[in-house]
Amino acid sequence: GKHEGAEWRGRRGRAGSGASSGSGSGSGGRERLEGPGAAENDPLHLKRRVGLFSGVALIVGTMIGSGIFVSPSGLIVRTGSVGASLVIWVSCGVLSLLGALAYAELGTMNTSSGAEYAYFMDAFGSLPAFLFSWVSTLVLKPSQLAIICLSFAQYAVEAFSSECEPPTLVVKVVAVLAIAVILLINCYSVTLATSVQNVFTTAKLGAVLIIICGGAYKLAEGNTQHLRDPFVGTKATFGNIATGFYTGLWAYDGWNNLNYVTEEIKNPSVNLPRSIGIGIPLVTFCYLLINISYLAVMSAAEMVESEAVAVTFGNRILGVMAWLMPLSVTVSTFGSANGTLFAAGRLCFAASREGHLLDILSYVHVRRYTPAPGLIFHSLIAVAMVMSGTIDSLIDFFSFTAWIFYGGSMLALLVMRKTKPHTPRPYKVPIIIPLIVLVISIYLIVAPIIDEPKIEYLYAATFIVAGLLFYVPFVHYGYVPAVMDTITVFLQLLLEVAPTQSMFD
Ligand code: ARG
């Protein structure tokens, strides 16, 4: 049994011969367990479908998620004043734009998908690339999913509990349910997941428009009192500013999203920089206007008090249509969570296919063609994070780790200017930009640790180091414990998944 299993499981070269001698082996489940695409010899390749419009939509649709509906209060708490929080909102937008312009050079120079993974491979080699895929699979992507689902739950529950604070346990349970539903959608079919994404992105833009128009109306009526003396109470300490940035930067996260799909962009050397140049300023502008709209309707103190700013906003301004606000926010966060799991499944799938993670994580469901094992794996970690953390602690945990890698990409750019000076760069960013972003990311990583060391930062650092311990035996020396075969075969039968054809090319 075990040997036969290992044969149709077929790691790399072995599977090719397994497939051609398939008719003789006579194992009943064989046909069914063959990988998708095994019948056609056409190697899987991605089509270039993303033009300028979808490029901008991909950036904007990922960036606008939960942050703008949840973070404004947190940012006021951390900065102490309306003015300082608005300055941080705009600075986060500028920082994201600068970072993304540097990513535009990286993405047009190395046009393979996978963003950081590909750039680290080019600039630093296999180990840093492995560490990135390790951390993003185990930490970054699951914490993104956990944060967005917690925000979803907060709004969904708040809608039923009027202005009083909803019980934490209920919020967590709803967040776990949301993860389960999103997991089912993504395991069920790719088409379903992408249609959910499109519908929900549209709804999200609707919510943004409602808030901005509402605020503009209130301001026109002369409700400017909360915007006077904006800087009174500012508390700008070394570490405070950095964690304030974490809160704001979460809302902007996703600015590098187009770099994950470079292989699918039409004319990437033009459309990648252009989508970045349109998308990120657009989001920055929306976020600034939304913050001002909130302040046209409530004071900074009221914003801090409200657990869900957008709901309070709706209650004050939309009258009988107040239900529209929590609904649009739940729709927006749900869509964002769906997109995040979708991308996460893809990254995990790619890295494990390269032999950097467990084989089973790169397998695909035999009839539904979805990377179910990777999706389930991410969701389980996200559930653990939801149960153990709060939105704010998770955001700090996430941003700390993410900025280590964003800073790493800046370093990769600078290194490659030296080591690969002659590689064509269709888009070349002024060298000062990655330098600035590198310095800021070092500040963002170091300042919160010095200012107020938190256990989350230690967890994150431990995770990265733990990756090293795995790298040496399992990736560098390619050691596979014998029991892994049994586990893989068991999971394959349980989940009905198989390796993809492209794996053997
Ligand atoms: N900026 C989004 C929000 O405010 C989160 C995006 C998560 N990041 C990602 N790459 N999917 O909710």
Side-chain angles (χ1 to χ4, degrees), residues 164-223:
C164 71
E165 200 161 316
T168 318
L169 186 67
V170 178
V171 172
K172 292 194 171 199
V173 169
V174 173
V176 170
L177 287 178
I179 293 177
V181 172
I182 290 163
L183 175 62
L184 282 180
I185 291 174
N186 279 273
C187 287
Y188 187 77
S189 97
V190 175
T191 330
L192 180 63
T194 51
S195 348
V196 165
Q197 194 58 20
N198 293 345
V199 171
F200 283 47
T201 300
T202 315
K204 169 181 327 197
L205 290 175
V208 168
L209 211 64
I210 294 174
I211 297 180
I212 293 179
C213 292
Y217 177 75
K218 275 285 172 187
L219 282 183
E221 276 189 346
N223 287 296

Side-chain angles (χ1 to χ4, degrees), residues 62-63 65-67 141 144 250-251 253-254 340:
T62 314
M63 287 174 75
S66 60
K141 291 292 166 190
Q144 284 175 347
W250 163 254
D253 198 69
T340 298

Side-chain angles (χ1 to χ4, degrees), residues 379-390:
S379 307
L380 289 177
I381 302 176
V383 166
M385 287 177 165
V386 162
M387 294 319 290
S388 64
T390 62

Side-chain angles (χ1 to χ4, degrees), residues 23 42 339 397 428:
S23 48
D42 215 18
F397 180 53
K428 204 165 178 179

Side-chain angles (χ1 to χ4, degrees), residues 244-434:
F245 261 94
Y246 280 1
T247 309
L249 284 170
W250 163 254
Y252 286 96
D253 198 69
W255 49 264
N256 59 348
N257 212 40
L258 202 52
N259 283 66
Y260 288 98
V261 295
T262 329
E263 283 166 30
E264 286 153 87
I265 307 175
K266 291 179 206 153
N267 194 3
S269 54
V270 172
N271 281 330
L272 180 63
R274 227 176 248 176
S275 309
I276 287 170
I278 297 172
I280 298 171
L282 183 72
V283 172
T284 310
F285 193 59
C286 286
Y287 282 5
L288 183 65
L289 292 184
I290 290 175
N291 270 287
I292 294 177
S293 295
Y294 288 153
L295 287 163
V297 173
M298 62 194 109
S299 69
E302 286 172 310
M303 259 170 90
V304 171
E305 212 130 281
S306 155
E307 274 285 306
V309 211
V311 173
T312 312
F313 178 89
N315 289 343
R316 303 250 170 117
I317 201 171
L318 294 177
V320 287
M321 302 293 278
W323 51 269
L324 209 60
M325 224 50 252
L327 180 72
S328 355
V329 178
T330 46
V331 162
S332 158
T333 43
F334 188 86
S336 188
N338 179 64
T340 298
L341 185 64
F342 189 84
R346 194 170 191 150
L347 200 132
C348 173
F349 166 79
S352 41
R353 203 177 49 183
E354 295 294 318
H356 271 171
L357 297 168
L358 294 176
D359 278 358
I360 182 84
L361 294 180
S362 72
Y363 291 2
V364 169
H365 192 276
V366 290
R367 287 183 309 275
R368 308 224 152 265
Y369 300 86
T370 52
L375 296 171
I376 294 172
F377 183 72
H378 279 291
S379 307
L380 289 177
I381 302 176
V383 166
M385 287 177 165
V386 162
M387 294 319 290
S388 64
T390 62
I391 293 182
D392 284 330
S393 68
L394 281 171
I395 286 182
D396 290 344
F397 180 53
F398 165 83
S399 304
F400 176 77
T401 325
W403 279 87
I404 293 177
F405 291 108
Y406 297 156
S409 296
M410 298 304 127
L411 199 62
L413 190 153
L414 297 171
V415 165
M416 285 192 285
R417 285 276 179 104
K418 283 265 171 290
T419 57
K420 300 179 197 280
H422 304 302
T423 309
R425 290 171 171 80
Y427 172 82
K428 204 165 178 179
V429 76
I431 191 88
I432 185 76
I433 289 183

